[in-house]
Amino acid sequence: MERVFDGALIGDAKTRLIVPAWDADHRSVYLYKTAHHGRLETDYRRPIIDAAMATAAAPTYYRQHKTVDDIGLLDGGVWANNPIAIATVEAITLLGWTPGSLRILSLGCGDEVYMLPEAPGIGGLGLKILSLLMDGQSRGALGMAKLLTGHPHDGDAIYRYSPAVPAGFFSLDDTSKISRLKGLGVSSARNAKPQLKPIFFQTPAAPFVPVYDLKGMAA
């Protein structure tokens, strides 16, 4: 990753970014953001690799990521397994975009299909308890985004794609099935293209002009 990013900073990003992490010591939300608002005066000077490593530091798989400032951060999935609600709130509040103007493309990592026993107890749930918590968090975030945008009652605003996959077939620490994941993604994109093309891929987005540049000057 150091070779790929080559010392790049968040302020080098060409689009607005909001990257969730979790501050392990303070037990609190930690968000990396580009300088897309006047209040965001800090993160754009930070290394991109810190945001990438922090948001990927999944507990039980990886240790905390120590940033250049010695902050211990964990995966943003601890609290934002589906970041759609964060993006929606950011767009409406800090950016001031009207809910009715939003069109959101949300890409998931696959929805595991599983069934729970009627009365399993904690012991009976086993590893399914992780799926249960992550599913609840993700679907709750999606529900909040729908309420904020009026989807679908006031028109279609959210386009969510996350193929159904068998429970336990893919795992976070198994790279042997990457080609299967790639195939799922390509097939899903092919099927969705006719619907998504006129909404997201025909008119170029307006260029992102950050409030501050890397010299600390206001735009």
Side-chain angles (χ1 to χ4, degrees):
M1 291 180 70
E2 290 174 347
R3 184 173 65 253
V4 170
F5 289 124
D6 193 26
L9 304 178
I10 291 174
D12 289 312
K14 304 302 181 186
T15 60
R16 298 173 185 86
L17 297 176
I18 178 168
V19 183
W22 177 257
D23 186 331
D25 292 332
H26 283 96
R27 301 179 304 285
S28 65
V29 167
Y30 198 100
L31 290 166
Y32 281 103
K33 300 183 182 183
T34 47
H36 50 259
H37 188 276
R39 297 205 300 252
L40 307 177
E41 303 178 63
T42 303
D43 292 348
Y44 74 95
R45 301 172 184 266
R46 299 296 183 260
I48 284 177
I49 195 169
D50 267 352
M53 292 293 289
T55 201
T60 73
Y61 288 97
Y62 300 109
R63 62 185 179 184
Q64 297 175 17
H65 172 66
K66 286 288 185 179
T67 71
V68 292
D69 302 308
D70 288 327
I71 303 171
L73 298 179
L74 290 171
D75 180 10
V78 168
W79 67 280
N81 194 47
N82 182 350
I84 188 172
I86 304 171
T88 306
V89 169
E90 190 83 359
I92 294 171
T93 56
L94 257 65
L95 295 176
W97 297 347
T98 60
S101 71
L102 298 181
R103 298 296 180 269
I104 303 170
L105 177 57
S106 175
L107 305 179
C109 300
D111 291 335
E112 286 196 330
V113 178
Y114 61 92
M115 295 292 289
L116 296 175
E118 290 186 7
I122 294 296
L125 283 172
L127 293 177
K128 288 181 180 178
I129 194 169
L130 297 176
S131 297
L132 182 64
L133 294 174
M134 293 297 99
D135 278 356
Q137 190 186 106
S138 176
R139 294 176 189 274
L142 183 59
M144 285 186 272
K146 288 181 178 180
L147 285 172
L148 289 167
T149 59
H151 177 95
H153 305 286
D154 299 329
D156 290 336
I158 295 172
Y159 301 83
R160 170 74 174 170
Y161 295 91
S162 187
V165 297
F169 187 76
F170 298 107
S171 63
L172 196 62
D173 58 348
D174 179 10
T175 61
S176 66
K177 297 171 183 172
I178 287 178
S179 63
R180 295 288 295 272
L181 288 170
K182 177 184 176 182
L184 280 171
V186 172
S187 180
S188 296
R190 180 177 182 271
N191 292 334
K193 184 177 179 180
Q195 181 183 28
L196 298 182
K197 185 176 180 179
I199 301 169
F200 296 102
F201 305 123
Q202 282 189 333
T203 304
F208 167 46
V209 180
V211 177
Y212 307 106
D213 63 23
L214 287 173
K215 296 178 183 178
M217 302 293 290

